[in-house]
Amino acid sequence: MNIIESLNWRYATKRMTGKKLPAKDLQTILDAIRLSASSYGLQPYHVIIIEDEAVKKQLQSMAYGQAQIVESSHVLVFTAWSNVNESKIDEYLQAYSDTSGMPVEKLIAFGLKDRMMQAIVSLSPQQQFSWAAKQAYIALGTGLIAAASLQIDATPMEGFIPAQVDELLGLKEKNLGSVVILALGYRDLENDMYQKAPKHRWSAEKLFTKI
Amino acid sequence: MNIIESLNWRYATKRMTGKKLPAKDLQTILDAIRLSASSYGLQPYHVIIIEDEAVKKQLQSMAYGQAQIVESSHVLVFTAWSNVNESKIDEYLQAYSDTSGMPVEKLIAFGLKDRMMQAIVSLSPQQQFSWAAKQAYIALGTGLIAAASLQIDATPMEGFIPAQVDELLGLKEKNLGSVVILALGYRDLENDMYQKAPKHRWSAEKLFTKI
């Protein structure tokens, strides 16, 4: 399937069969998420991969009882950095230096640290979290397409109580906050009444303006 | 190329050649963006597609002079709804009804309007815009992969002055605000020093936790 076929094939699956993803396919989805673009390449997020059934059940109770959480193979909880401080930027510069072979001093002389400090660290903590969450949404979009390209269903979910999920997963201590969930699995052809619903999107005329 | 190869092929291209995208490929990228997932399928965003060279030049001056804006084939400016009020929800329900054939009254009886009012309209305007922007970032991620799958370069850019861009494109009157730019084109193999830079990503150990 090409990307358009994949996007047309997918939908926000409400009921799943519980069937497990092959390890190889899960790996491909995670690889795609890891390779996602982000501003400065900072990837200011962390993804919790839940396969444990008891944890899924707890998560479900914090997500208005949505069935696909316990019927999924794996649930990915996308979390964003609660704030982005100078030490995070330094850690990134060191990691970038390790990958690129370019000394940290050179990256700093090049203005990279200054730019990141000004663009991100100067924001309020709330703005930083909001900015980090947006980067996580790029990764979410990537994960969605990666799953669809393998004909694996993926349901993005914002309907949960973040404070409770943060507590369940011990996110606060890790300087993280939950932003969006992605349930991975296989559509339940017998019980998902949404599978045949026509896909609604705004018309191109409504969504785009050409200049 | 599969999705992993596409993601490895792409990078945030800093210099482009000015070569134009074939109309068919631009259409595929726009189709992919239009088919992107969003919360409730609301797609609370609008994309301005700029091909006009004079407008690109003005945009460049609001984006710290970044070369790829004028060297691109097209620039997509992703804008998000400034706020999401009841009339927007009603417009969506009507459009969804037109697509699905399900009467608006039935959608309302089903609780869809109530849920959207509570989840979105009850937020502050600032939170609504932030929420809408996150949905636009899913579309951005989709556009990035769609471009890469066609071996078209795509550079996401947050480095611009939103108030100026909103003014340039008359966004305020349309109840929109600019959130992120995507320059589409072809990498300049001679002048883009970043094309050979190794791709840095956090390690899987750093980015993921399995439970």
Side-chain angles (χ1 to χ4, degrees):
Chain A
M1 289 202 293
N2 67 28
I3 191 166
I4 300 298
E5 290 164 335
S6 293
L7 285 163
N8 275 313
W9 175 84
R10 73 159 299 281
Y11 72 108
T13 309
K14 297 288 187 290
R15 299 295 307 272
M16 294 181 170
T17 60
K19 190 181 151 192
K20 288 285 165 192
L21 261 64
K24 183 172 68 66
D25 289 348
L26 176 64
Q27 192 56 52
T28 299
I29 295 167
L30 297 181
D31 287 347
I33 289 170
R34 199 174 80 83
L35 287 168
S36 289
S38 63
S39 187
Y40 293 99
L42 184 60
Q43 300 179 281
Y45 47 79
H46 187 85
V47 182
I48 317 278
I49 301 145
I50 305 175
E51 192 175 8
D52 183 287
E53 301 300 335
V55 178
K56 274 193 212 164
K57 204 152 230 163
Q58 285 179 281
L59 185 65
Q60 184 189 31
S61 73
M62 300 162 180
Y64 309 101
Q66 293 177 85
Q68 64 274 49
I69 292 184
V70 294
E71 293 172 353
S72 69
S73 167
H74 294 74
V75 174
L76 309 187
V77 179
F78 287 78
T79 76
W81 296 358
S82 305
N83 58 65
V84 188
N85 53 32
E86 184 169 3
S87 76
K88 284 287 195 182
I89 303 295
D90 286 337
E91 186 184 349
Y92 168 76
L93 291 174
Q94 186 56 58
Y96 185 82
S97 169
D98 293 344
T99 304
S100 65
M102 199 180 283
V104 170
E105 299 69 38
K106 209 166 167 186
L107 295 171
I108 291 173
F110 202 61
L112 182 56
K113 181 170 176 175
D114 280 349
R115 286 200 301 279
M116 295 180 81
M117 291 295 286
Q118 212 191 324
I120 316 166
V121 180
S122 74
L123 301 174
S124 72
Q126 200 191 343
Q127 288 173 320
Q128 290 173 356
F129 179 65
S130 172
W131 173 83
K134 288 192 286 187
Q135 310 306 320
Y137 271 67
I138 301 178
L140 171 73
T142 310
L144 277 172
I145 297 183
S149 75
L150 300 166
Q151 299 214 29
I152 288 166
D153 283 295
T155 311
M157 305 164 72
E158 290 183 338
F160 61 90
I161 300 163
Q164 291 184 2
V165 173
D166 293 359
E167 176 76 25
L168 173 70
L169 302 174
L171 297 179
K172 209 171 176 183
E173 306 87 85
K174 292 174 185 157
N175 207 29
L176 299 170
S178 52
V179 290
V180 65
I181 290 175
L182 188 65
L184 297 172
Y186 297 91
R187 61 189 68 176
D188 182 338
L189 295 171
E190 277 176 34
N191 295 308
D192 195 344
M193 61 185 238
Y194 288 91
Q195 63 180 295
K196 282 171 190 152
K199 192 186 282 294
H200 168 71
R201 293 293 186 264
W202 296 119
S203 66
E205 292 67 36
K206 183 103 191 149
L207 200 58
F208 302 117
T209 298
K210 294 197 184 190
I211 298 179
Chain B
M1 289 201 293
N2 66 30
I3 190 167
I4 300 298
E5 290 164 337
S6 294
L7 285 163
N8 275 313
W9 175 84
R10 73 160 297 282
Y11 73 106
T13 310
K14 298 287 187 290
R15 299 295 307 271
M16 294 181 171
T17 59
K19 187 181 151 194
K20 287 284 165 193
L21 261 63
K24 183 172 68 70
D25 288 348
L26 177 63
Q27 192 56 51
T28 299
I29 295 167
L30 297 181
D31 287 347
I33 288 169
R34 200 174 79 83
L35 287 168
S36 289
S38 63
S39 188
Y40 293 98
L42 185 60
Q43 300 178 281
Y45 46 79
H46 187 85
V47 182
I48 316 278
I49 302 145
I50 305 175
E51 192 175 7
D52 184 285
E53 301 300 336
V55 178
K56 275 193 211 166
K57 206 153 227 159
Q58 285 178 282
L59 185 65
Q60 184 189 31
S61 73
M62 301 165 180
Y64 309 101
Q66 293 177 84
Q68 64 274 50
I69 292 184
V70 295
E71 293 172 353
S72 69
S73 168
H74 294 75
V75 175
L76 310 188
V77 179
F78 287 78
T79 75
W81 295 359
S82 304
N83 58 64
V84 188
N85 53 31
E86 185 170 359
S87 76
K88 284 287 196 183
I89 303 295
D90 286 336
E91 186 183 350
Y92 168 76
L93 291 175
Q94 186 58 57
Y96 185 83
S97 168
D98 292 345
T99 304
S100 65
M102 199 179 283
V104 170
E105 298 70 37
K106 208 166 166 185
L107 295 170
I108 291 174
F110 202 60
L112 182 56
K113 181 169 175 176
D114 280 349
R115 287 201 301 279
M116 295 180 81
M117 290 295 288
Q118 210 191 325
I120 316 163
V121 180
S122 74
L123 301 173
S124 72
Q126 200 190 344
Q127 287 172 322
Q128 289 172 357
F129 180 64
S130 172
W131 173 82
K134 287 192 287 187
Q135 310 307 319
Y137 271 67
I138 301 178
L140 171 73
T142 309
L144 277 171
I145 297 183
S149 75
L150 300 166
Q151 299 213 31
I152 288 166
D153 283 295
T155 310
M157 305 166 71
E158 290 183 338
F160 61 90
I161 300 162
Q164 291 184 3
V165 174
D166 292 359
E167 176 77 24
L168 173 69
L169 302 174
L171 297 180
K172 210 171 176 182
E173 306 88 85
K174 293 174 184 157
N175 206 28
L176 299 170
S178 53
V179 290
V180 65
I181 290 175
L182 188 65
L184 297 173
Y186 297 92
R187 60 189 67 176
D188 182 338
L189 294 170
E190 277 176 32
N191 295 309
D192 194 346
M193 62 185 237
Y194 288 92
Q195 62 180 294
K196 281 171 190 150
K199 192 185 282 292
H200 169 70
R201 294 293 185 265
W202 296 119
S203 66
E205 292 66 36
K206 184 104 192 147
L207 200 59
F208 301 117
T209 298
K210 294 197 182 190
I211 297 179

